[in-house]
Amino acid sequence: MKLTRIILFLVLYIGAATLHATAADTNQVQAILIAASNESGRTDSRLSRYEPTLKRILRFESYRFRGQGATSLAPGKSGHISLGDGQSLELTAENSGNRGVRIRVVWDKNGRTLMKTGLTLRPGIPAVLGGPSTGKRGEVYAVILTAQ
């Protein structure tokens, strides 16, 4: 009876430790689809915290929010984010140690691949991907990615 309790305790302890280690490796990745334009105007208030980064990287005058989504990623696993306007991201996490989460990104619009790239996301530091034209004169899509 005592041996059964010890074995049961060890099985539960090892299972809990494995679950905790897996949860610690999981990262929440958020993506925001925006439209960037050289038309004068106000940037969407939902993007105000990203505006300095957007202006430094993309160098447009105004930015409009178009959609957002999130997924959880563990090393070696993939996640899908639908962003709106027919746009979606397929993300695959790779193990990158203490420096953040290394991901492969495939950006699609209505089933057509727009971009394939890889990058390292550091918690709290946004990454910006510049994309294709929205179809409106001088306006382009971009995606802001953040990890938590």
Side-chain angles (χ1 to χ4, degrees), residues 61-117:
E61 292 295 318
S62 62
Y63 303 91
R64 289 184 301 121
F65 177 92
R66 300 301 298 257
Q68 72 179 12
T71 190
S72 293
L73 291 177
K77 301 294 182 184
S78 295
H80 181 85
I81 301 175
S82 295
L83 295 171
D85 286 349
Q87 316 259 348
S88 65
L89 301 175
E90 189 69 32
L91 308 173
T92 304
E94 301 170 346
N95 194 356
S96 60
N98 298 341
R99 300 172 308 184
V101 58
R102 175 87 182 145
I103 61 172
R104 283 182 287 143
V105 180
V106 179
W107 183 355
D108 286 339
K109 180 175 182 180
N110 297 323
R112 184 175 64 94
T113 300
L114 302 175
M115 177 187 296
K116 289 182 181 181
T117 192

Side-chain angles (χ1 to χ4, degrees), residues 44-62:
D44 191 305
S45 62
R46 292 173 282 190
L47 302 173
S48 61
R49 68 184 269 203
Y50 303 109
E51 189 172 17
T53 302
L54 292 169
K55 286 192 174 195
R56 181 174 44 85
I57 294 171
L58 298 177
R59 301 180 190 265
F60 284 88
E61 292 295 318
S62 62

